[in-house]
Amino acid sequence: MNWRTLLPFALLALLVTGCSSTPNEVVPMRNGALRAPTYTQAGDYCSAKGAEPRWLGKAPAESGVLFQCN
């Protein structure tokens, strides 16, 4: 196989893996809270929804912050 044969498959792989990530990295938790890597990202997420963030503390294993939009 030459590179021209593999090119469409490589582009498809990039497209599929690129679409699987969330741009804002905000993840819903089981208890209804949201988790974001930083306070800034959490604030931006709530601002986009026309709300203010309510801070709930650090996420498990200190993997970010927990919050809700009010």
Side-chain angles (χ1 to χ4, degrees):
M1 292 185 139
N2 64 22
W3 67 273
R4 288 184 184 158
T5 307
L6 295 176
L7 185 61
F9 296 110
L11 292 175
L12 180 61
L14 284 174
L15 179 67
V16 170
T17 57
C19 294
S20 65
S21 62
T22 56
N24 57 20
E25 298 180 16
V26 174
V27 179
M29 304 296 284
R30 287 185 182 179
N31 61 0
L34 300 166
R35 179 178 52 91
T38 65
Y39 286 100
T40 304
Q41 288 176 330
D44 291 346
Y45 180 84
C46 289
S47 292
K49 297 186 175 298
E52 293 290 321
R54 187 180 100 194
W55 308 112
L56 304 175
K58 291 189 176 188
E62 298 189 15
S63 61
V65 295
L66 293 176
F67 69 101
Q68 290 178 331
C69 294
N70 293 331

